[in-house]
Amino acid sequence: MRKRSAGFKLFLAGFVGLLLVIPLLLIYGLVSDRQHQARIAQDTITAGSGGPQILSGPVLVVPYEVDKTISETVDGKVTRRTSTERGEFYLSPAEHTVDTALEPERKKKAQYETVLYLAQVEGRARFVMPDDLARFGINPDRLLLDETQVRFGTSDPRGLRAAADVRVDGAPLDLEPGEGVRASGGSGFHGEIDWSEGEALAIDYSYAIRGSRKLTLIPRGGQTDLTVTSPWKHPGFSGSFLPDTSDIGDDGFTAKWSVGNLALGQPMVMSQDLTQPSDFEGRAYEAMVDERSSEAGEARTAVISLIEPADIYAQVDRSVKYGFLFIGFTFVAFFLFDVVGGARVAAAEYLLTGAGLVLFFVLLLAFAEWTGFALAYVIASAAIISLLTAYSAAVLGGWRRASFVGAMLVALYGVLYVLLSLEAAALIVGSLLMFAALAGVMYATRNVDWSAVGGDEDYE
């Protein structure tokens, strides 16, 4: 019979550790699958209330007539005739102010939860007829101003609550569904006005709309001032423009944007409407929209997200990435007791211990869906620490050594929880801890002869 060298025992522990990467990857896939199932459940919750919303408008759509000469060949002769065709242009407001109040609400289905909101939108837009329509190929004398439309865009009109109130120079406007702004997928509502005088026009409006998770506002025109307030404590800002100022506190947040026409890079008069933002995650509700690109370009956005501060799937996902660290530290402790302390640790015992460490992440995911991440972490870690400490007492030949393993696991799970909380400093803290652990292993094994045959464990 021969005895295993310390080097062979190290190779054996490392090989078993590498094998355990396979179930860790499977758990990583399980987290992604459960996250997908959660998103489906959240979409079911929001199905009748409205999804992420894009709000745009008002925009004036002004029709006009234009003469076009058409050449035709009849019996070998070219003839020309003039026909009158109808066109339209889109006029953005010279000044636009929007105040939006978001009232968040949590809704739950089984163990899944999502955030809905009710947006109370109030705004005022001022329109001015341009003096240079001729450069766009439009004859001001042939404008059909009495058929002008005012269009508002809401990407999911199911969320509209009660009736929108729109007033043109103080007079209420009758509204019809549909024919919204293209930036919101073509959904929304519109009204017809008689703008025959062509004088400066003031439009005041207010409406309430429900949505979920994210609100996208479309700045447009000469000068757009946006203000969004909400009691939600964890907003996220993205899109083409970040807020100029944002005040976030325990009472919620207030964010303000001031976007000028030069920043938008869009003319006040366009022959085609702006298209829907390409990064918008929602889809227009039963909107029939031409998906081809528009010469006017893509709408610019200011996006407000109601972020869940404790996304359990993101936290479990991050914890799984530290899984090999747990396996490594525990196997190092077993290895040191083997080569330095004289305990016997077989390959099967490494494997069973690693299986217990991997099971922690399954328990964490299962409990987190029902109890939240913090309590699930306590339950799962307490169960695995108790199991492995008791098993270590049998493997290492005593409770004294097992108590060391138990204390190490308590420290490891505590450190992992801290790392999950310190998103910004997680890398540097984790690196320093691994450096300290490596230094400790080097010190403990400084007198081990790795190449010599030794130890007290034999095999046939």
Side-chain angles (χ1 to χ4, degrees):
M1 293 189 295
R2 292 182 301 162
K3 297 179 180 179
R4 294 171 176 167
S5 67
F8 181 81
K9 293 176 181 179
L10 178 62
F11 170 78
L12 182 65
F15 179 73
V16 175
L18 288 176
L19 286 179
L20 291 170
V21 172
I22 297 174
L24 279 177
L25 292 176
L26 293 176
I27 293 173
Y28 190 80
L30 176 63
V31 174
S32 298
D33 179 69
R34 298 298 295 179
Q35 189 172 26
H36 177 68
Q37 293 296 326
R39 178 53 61 91
I40 293 175
Q42 290 171 349
D43 290 341
T44 302
I45 295 172
T46 62
S49 300
Q53 293 283 5
I54 294 182
L55 305 184
S56 182
V59 174
L60 294 186
V61 181
V62 182
Y64 61 91
E65 292 181 341
V66 59
D67 293 332
K68 288 193 175 182
T69 302
I70 302 174
S71 298
E72 296 178 340
T73 302
V74 180
D75 297 330
K77 296 181 179 181
V78 178
T79 61
R80 291 181 176 83
R81 64 183 179 86
T82 301
S83 66
T84 300
E85 296 184 1
R86 183 185 176 98
E88 60 184 23
F89 67 86
Y90 298 82
L91 179 62
S92 300
E95 299 171 1
H96 190 197
T97 301
V98 186
D99 294 319
T100 305
L102 291 179
E103 291 294 335
E105 176 188 359
R106 293 182 180 272
K107 277 200 172 183
K108 197 168 184 179
K109 180 180 181 181
Q111 73 268 37
Y112 302 110
E113 187 178 55
T114 190
V115 181
L116 306 179
Y117 60 78
L118 177 65
Q120 299 283 354
V121 183
E122 295 183 0
R124 180 179 178 84
R126 180 175 172 271
F127 291 87
V128 178
M129 180 64 71
D131 296 327
D132 57 349
L133 287 177
R135 73 185 181 96
F136 298 101
I138 301 172
N139 185 348
D141 296 330
R142 305 196 67 179
L143 296 178
L144 304 176
L145 293 175
D146 58 333
E147 299 179 28
T148 301
Q149 275 191 353
V150 182
R151 294 184 182 179
F152 291 83
T154 58
S155 60
D156 195 341
R158 294 173 301 173
L160 286 168
R161 293 296 178 263
D165 181 26
V166 179
R167 297 178 180 271
V168 179
D169 287 336
L173 179 66
D174 293 330
L175 301 174
E176 297 291 337
E179 293 191 60
V181 178
R182 190 176 181 188
S184 61
S187 301
F189 52 92
H190 72 281
E192 305 277 350
I193 65 171
D194 185 350
W195 198 20
S196 299
E197 296 180 359
E199 300 293 333
L201 199 67
I203 297 179
D204 297 278
Y205 62 92
S206 64
Y207 60 89
I209 187 167
R210 294 189 70 86
S212 62
R213 296 191 296 271
K214 183 181 293 185
L215 175 66
T216 300
L217 302 177
I218 306 293
R220 182 169 182 167
Q223 178 65 36
T224 305
D225 295 316
L226 307 173
T227 302
V228 179
T229 60
S230 175
W232 190 259
K233 300 177 184 178
H234 307 281
F237 303 110
S238 58
S240 308
F241 301 99
L242 297 179
D244 298 315
T245 62
S246 58
D247 182 13
I248 305 173
D250 293 336
D251 297 331
F253 74 90
T254 299
K256 296 183 178 182
W257 292 257
S258 182
V259 183
N261 181 254
L262 295 179
L264 286 170
Q266 300 164 356
M268 299 292 291
V269 176
M270 289 180 260
S271 59
Q272 296 185 34
D273 204 1
L274 298 170
T275 61
Q276 192 175 40
S278 57
D279 59 349
F280 180 59
E281 68 177 58
R283 299 300 303 169
Y285 175 65
E286 297 181 355
M288 302 299 293
V289 185
D290 183 1
E291 295 294 338
R292 294 172 298 178
S293 62
S294 168
E295 294 179 1
E298 186 178 298
R300 302 295 184 90
T301 60
V303 182
I304 304 94
S305 301
L306 302 183
I307 297 175
E308 287 280 6
D311 185 345
I312 61 170
Y313 298 103
Q315 290 175 305
V316 174
D317 179 81
R318 290 186 63 209
S319 67
V320 172
K321 294 176 182 177
Y322 290 98
F324 197 76
L325 188 64
F326 279 72
I327 294 172
F329 273 96
T330 307
F331 279 17
V332 164
F334 274 41
F335 173 74
L336 291 178
F337 280 122
D338 192 345
V339 300
V340 178
R344 296 182 178 184
V345 184
E349 292 164 338
Y350 278 114
L351 188 61
L352 289 173
T353 301
L357 293 170
V358 170
L359 181 60
F360 162 76
F361 301 104
V362 179
L363 292 174
L364 178 61
L365 175 61
F367 281 104
E369 289 185 335
W370 292 95
T371 66
F373 183 80
L375 182 56
Y377 194 92
V378 172
I379 295 172
S381 60
I384 297 302
I385 291 171
S386 301
L387 175 65
L388 294 184
T389 301
Y391 185 65
S392 299
V395 172
L396 302 178
W399 282 99
R400 184 176 180 181
R401 291 171 174 174
S403 63
F404 174 83
V405 173
M408 182 195 68
L409 289 174
V410 170
L412 277 176
Y413 284 113
V415 167
L416 176 60
Y417 192 83
V418 172
L419 289 176
L420 294 174
S421 303
L422 299 175
E423 294 186 9
L427 179 59
I428 187 170
V429 173
S431 301
L432 292 174
L433 289 173
M434 291 193 67
F435 175 82
L438 179 60
V441 172
M442 287 181 173
Y443 180 80
T445 59
R446 66 191 185 282
N447 296 322
V448 174
D449 187 351
W450 297 99
S451 60
V453 176
D456 55 0
E457 181 183 359
D458 24 87
Y459 69 97
E460 297 180 357

